[in-house]
Amino acid sequence: MPKSAKVSSLINLIGVFALYFLFLAIFESGIFGAKTDYFKGIATTACYTIIMVTSLNLLVGIMGEFSLGHAGFMSVGAYASAVFTNAIANSGIPDFPMFLLALLVGGAAAALTGFLVGVPALKLRGDYLCIVTVAFAEIIRVCFTNFKITGGGRTMSGIAKLSDFYWVYWVTVVCVTLMFLLIRSRFGRTVRAIREDYIAAEASGVNVTFYKVATFTISAFFAGVAGAIYAHYMTAMIPTSFNFAYSAEFLTEVIIGGAGSMTGSIIGATFLSALPEAMRTFARYRMLAYSIVLVIVMIFRPGGIFGTWEFSLTRLLKKIFRVKGTAPGGKGADAAKAGKTGKGASV
Amino acid sequence: MTEKKAVSAEVPKETPVLKAVHLGISFGGLKAVDDFNMEIGRSELVGLIGPNGAGKTTVFNLLTGVYKPTEGAFYLNGKKMNGRKTYQVVEEGIARTFQNIRLFKKMTVLENVKVAMNKDMHYSPLASIFRTNSFWREEHDTDERAMELLDIVGLGDKKDAMAMNLPYGQQRKLEIARALGTNMRLLLLDEPAAGMNPVETDELLDIINNIRRTFGISVLLIEHDMSLVMRVCERIQVIDYGVTIAKGTPEEIAHNPRVIEAYLGKQAEKEVLNMKDASGHVIGEEGSAAAADAEPDKAEKPDETAGAGTPNR
Ligand SMILES: Nc1ncnc2c1ncn2[C@@H]1O[C@H](COP(=O)(O)OP(=O)(O)OP(=O)(O)O)[C@@H](O)[C@H]1O
Ligand SMILES: [Mg+2]
């Protein structure tokens, strides 16, 4: 492992812990008083939205295909994990392992669905694929509305409240880090090549179908994990929440943040999920605000606010350090390298 | 590179690297390629020429599994390749460049080559998640080998440039480097000199000779720049309307009346003269430049095909 990579992973780890302790301090000191739980809830919402948007960014930004059915995968994860935890509710498993199991079940169920949908659907590209993803999410919704086990169209309630914010925070860190590390490996490089020119990729020895299905499956897995968090945070849900508008919302957040930029996805998801919650009175204008923001972003920054730029804590620290004067030699190459391998998990 | 030589050594000397037998394809009523026969030996450089729309690119598409032949078969080192997908053909050792450049535009020059090397990389997704030693070692080794290839085509100092920002001639060279990244035995070059100036064309010629020497690979070259074809090819095959009308040494081709009629009859007379010059009688510096200039329409062809969005890749 190159030294610069070691240093930046350490820096990122410290950054993630610092953020964690910041949240801990804010919530545990009780400065919000009675509203603490409310703000914790918003933070939890932001977390699973971050997982949703970054996982969708794998498809949109890295693989270059639009999906308008990501809420479908989320609902598969949500319902699968809820059914699972309901089934083993009295087995005496402590909450934390139970929570992790629920996430795995939700992720696995969504990944399997993603694989089954992806194999036939990924023969298509562009608009056609997009339409199939819409159709998929609708089919899932109709299924869950009619299955008895998922509540048969009524609200499925009584799901164990397992999604504690502090756990969810770390799950989000792990999920985003995993996706980031995958993107910055030969896997991500290959998938980006497919986005750029699938014919040339195939002619360079890339099994295009394999990589596309794999990306689709991985993306669905993380959507399923987010769904599991959602289910065990809400404790009650109805299939119609995972509708077209919800899918469209995720896609909007990817586009606004910048397709291909994990940083953009994280910041976009945080703001767009937390703001309307925080300003309840404006909640009804949420979709209107989205559209306006989208139009403005598309006019002035067609690549999204962050384009494909990634935030790097290491780079930032170096910059601050250098501004203060005593920068060591060879800074250009060093900083570039840090930017490339750095960042890791700076949520 | 050394391991490839070892593999090739196992194959008996006589087995041609490429052998195409009665290869043919029709699109509806149109026979784009008909009864195409060809043998290419180890480290041989064969030219494939013919007027516009003769079916040259279609031959490449057949040899790389993009199109499935409706007749005939082709073999790589004696192994039948019919019915294989493109990436499988590449795994067996055929790589190509494209007439209308197809680079991974928004990726760096180095990454473009590394994508082609992916098939020979082995670290698992888990290794990339945990950033194990095998991850760093393999990435580092691949970087080094990719740099070797970039140095061969003279793009070593451009490794971090975005592929789309390279000038046209360098983009064509990057396509060659990327093809080399697949570690192939047979390299198919589709009009590599199109759009290049005479200086770049000469550099290209050096590159082609260099990679043949270094890697001992065989090359099948489609080219409209006659002086280039005449200078580098050991043998030439001429097709017209999908049918082979001549095979032979550059000298023979240059004097073949059918070729002159089908291919060169349409060109300015000057072109014919240039060809004869280039084939060995009088070679002058202006000769190659004039030949390139004589075909302005050809040089622009790649963009046309790309723009028209033909399924012809
Ligand atoms: N997918 C296809 N469907 C229908 N016709 C095709 C297809 N691909 C190629 N053709 C036809 O086959 C013929 C040969 O085309 P090809 O591109 O191989 O010519 P070429 O020799 O490469 O010409 P150029 O010098 O212009 O590149 C043309 O008439 C072309 O229109
Ligand atoms: Mg052609």
Side-chain angles (χ1 to χ4, degrees), chain B residues 31 38 45 55 60 65-66 124 130 155-156 172 185 190 231-232 244 259-260 296:
Chain B
K31 277 216 151 157
M38 175 175 263
L45 201 167
F60 273 23
V66 173
S124 65
F130 292 109
L155 289 176
R172 289 219 175 270
R185 291 160 210 183
D190 200 343
R231 272 191 287 168
V232 296
T244 303
V259 176
I260 295 174

Side-chain angles (χ1 to χ4, degrees), chain A residues 237-248:
Chain A
M237 57 190 175
I238 190 158
T240 42
S241 325
F242 304 97
N243 54 11
F244 178 76
Y246 202 27
S247 291

Side-chain angles (χ1 to χ4, degrees), chain B residues 205-236:
Chain B
L205 203 139
D206 289 341
I207 291 170
I208 293 175
N209 284 329
N210 191 3
I211 57 184
R212 279 175 69 204
R213 249 199 332 270
T214 320
F215 304 118
I217 56 170
S218 318
V219 180
L220 178 57
L221 172 74
I222 295 179
E223 191 45 72
H224 278 301
D225 183 339
M226 276 311 127
S227 73
L228 179 70
V229 172
M230 293 295 162
R231 272 191 287 168
V232 296
C233 294
E234 287 153 352
R235 287 189 292 120
I236 293 175

Side-chain angles (χ1 to χ4, degrees), chain A residues 1-2 5 178 181 184-186 189-190 192-193 196-197 199-207 211 341, chain B residues 86-87 90 98 102 104-107 111 114-116 118 121-123 128-129 131 136 139 178 182 313:
Chain A
M1 198 172 186
L178 286 183
L181 291 173
R184 296 279 168 103
S185 73
R186 70 191 181 97
R189 186 164 56 230
T190 309
R192 277 186 299 133
E196 292 299 307
D197 192 322
I199 293 169
E202 185 104 22
S204 304
V206 173
N207 184 347
Y211 277 95
T341 48
Chain B
T86 303
Y87 76 92
V90 177
F98 293 90
R102 285 180 173 278
F104 307 126
K105 291 200 187 89
K106 286 186 195 153
M107 293 170 75
E111 279 179 321
K114 283 177 83 179
V115 168
N118 181 58
M121 297 177 80
H122 301 291
Y123 70 77
S128 38
I129 285 169
R131 291 293 195 251
W136 294 108
E139 283 289 331
R178 184 179 66 187
T182 66
R313 2 207 182 178

